[in-house]
Amino acid sequence: MSVLLIAEHDNNELKDATRNALTAAAQLGSVDVLVAGNNAAGAAAAAAKLDGVGKVLHCDSVLFERPMAEAMADLIVPLMANYDALVAPATTNGKNICPRVAALLDVMQISEITGVVSADTFERPVYAGNAIQTVKSGDTKKIITVRTTGFEAAGDGGSASVESIDAPADSGLSSFVDENLSKSDRPELTSASIIISGGRGMQNGENFAMLEKIADKLSAAVGASRAAVDAGFVPNDYQVGQTGKVVAPELYIAVGISGAIQHLAGMKDSKVIVAINKDEDAPIFQVADYGIIADLFTAVPELEEELGKAGL
């Protein structure tokens, strides 16, 4: 089976999501990587070094400085004549591009897989991760997005060739206007190795400063539950959960988070989970590796103090 993987990048470097999606794609067959961008030669060179990549298709055009679904589909659909499957990380870009490609190819999309059973059978979470659905596709072309937390990241060591391909004509269906991104010196949530998140128990947005002090000591990202975001404590881009960002850091510290199903769906694959909550019956303790039953306004300052003693 031949597979085309859409690389996630910023026109300079590959995003980690590409490595996780490659691990999934490699279980289907031979993998080529598509790097479409503007002055993205660095990203193409990085993709060529990934383990298991056959070749890199590099399309360099101002049209792809921002990966609009319409332009990307015009590029990808003709390429699919040579491939049995298209794979992309289940990022904002992947979720935007793949449905349009699937519609143009008249096939069903298989979304957010967490396991590959065979070349036509996949596992994906449903009911906020409380059940795993096994999906078998009879389509001749498979369009797949990958929940990256379900797969290990592919390493380097490859030496694939980089082949330049022409960009399609601009259809004029869409154009990039503007983006407003939050800026932070802390790691981005989906790539952070340590995350400390707050919930409704934080009581207000000002109290998140307590978590930020811990985050600065641990070089961690700060997240939040949907309840905290809906209450206006922190911006939407902090939200971890089924309707927010799905994360799987090495360490996840949940502070004042009860553990609603939709939140657990977004962080339960974390390697180590620490929960701080004064309610001993909070659902978060069912998935936590370590639980502290205490008032967070006592426990968090004590944690900060102990980290200081440790030289952090």
Side-chain angles (χ1 to χ4, degrees), residues 81-159:
N82 301 317
Y83 295 96
D84 302 305
L86 177 71
V87 174
T91 58
T92 300
N93 288 329
K95 293 176 181 179
N96 189 32
I97 296 165
C98 287
R100 185 173 181 85
V101 173
L104 291 171
L105 293 175
D106 194 24
V107 298
M108 294 291 291
Q109 177 175 308
I110 305 169
S111 300
E112 301 209 30
I113 67 166
T114 55
V116 177
V117 178
S118 67
D120 63 356
T121 307
F122 311 92
E123 294 178 342
R124 58 185 301 273
V126 292
Y127 302 121
N130 282 312
I132 300 298
Q133 182 182 62
T134 302
V135 180
K136 185 171 184 177
S137 171
D139 288 327
T140 55
K141 303 289 184 183
K142 310 291 191 294
I143 309 297
I144 301 164
T145 61
V146 175
R147 180 170 287 193
T148 54
T149 58
F151 297 89
E152 296 293 328
D156 292 321
S159 57

Side-chain angles (χ1 to χ4, degrees), residues 52-274:
V53 174
K55 67 179 177 181
V56 175
L57 302 180
H58 180 207
C59 185
D60 199 87
S61 169
V62 67
L63 187 61
F64 298 113
E65 185 166 358
R66 296 293 192 279
M68 304 297 291
E70 291 77 9
M72 288 293 292
D74 288 344
L75 173 66
I76 293 168
V77 169
L79 294 175
M80 289 306 295
N82 301 317
Y83 295 96
D84 302 305
L86 177 71
V87 174
T91 58
T92 300
N93 288 329
K95 293 176 181 179
N96 189 32
I97 296 165
C98 287
R100 185 173 181 85
V101 173
L104 291 171
L105 293 175
D106 194 24
V107 298
M108 294 291 291
Q109 177 175 308
I110 305 169
S111 300
E112 301 209 30
I113 67 166
T114 55
V116 177
V117 178
S118 67
D120 63 356
T121 307
F122 311 92
E123 294 178 342
R124 58 185 301 273
V126 292
Y127 302 121
N130 282 312
I132 300 298
Q133 182 182 62
T134 302
V135 180
K136 185 171 184 177
S137 171
D139 288 327
T140 55
K141 303 289 184 183
K142 310 291 191 294
I143 309 297
I144 301 164
T145 61
V146 175
R147 180 170 287 193
T148 54
T149 58
F151 297 89
E152 296 293 328
D156 292 321
S159 57
S161 60
V162 178
E163 176 184 323
S164 294
I165 60 175
D166 294 330
D170 186 355
S171 65
L173 290 175
S174 65
S175 61
F176 176 79
V177 177
D178 191 20
E179 68 181 357
N180 293 295
L181 301 176
S182 59
K183 295 181 180 180
S184 174
D185 293 331
R186 298 190 184 93
E188 204 277 327
L189 267 175
T190 55
S191 60
S193 59
I194 302 175
I195 296 173
I196 181 167
S197 288
R200 196 196 308 272
M202 298 301 298
Q203 297 183 1
N204 58 56
E206 288 73 19
N207 288 332
F208 267 78
M210 299 166 55
L211 305 188
E212 292 169 356
K213 292 178 181 178
I214 302 294
D216 290 340
K217 289 181 177 293
L218 297 175
S219 298
V222 178
S225 68
R226 178 175 178 175
V229 171
D230 287 349
F233 296 171
V234 289
N236 287 337
D237 55 317
Y238 279 48
Q239 185 173 325
V240 173
Q242 186 180 27
T243 53
K245 296 178 180 177
V246 178
V247 299
E250 295 295 321
L251 173 62
Y252 188 89
I253 306 173
V255 181
I257 295 175
S258 63
I261 290 175
Q262 79 88 26
H263 185 78
L264 298 183
M267 46 66 72
K268 66 180 182 181
D269 290 329
S270 304
K271 305 301 184 291
V272 177
I273 299 172
V274 176

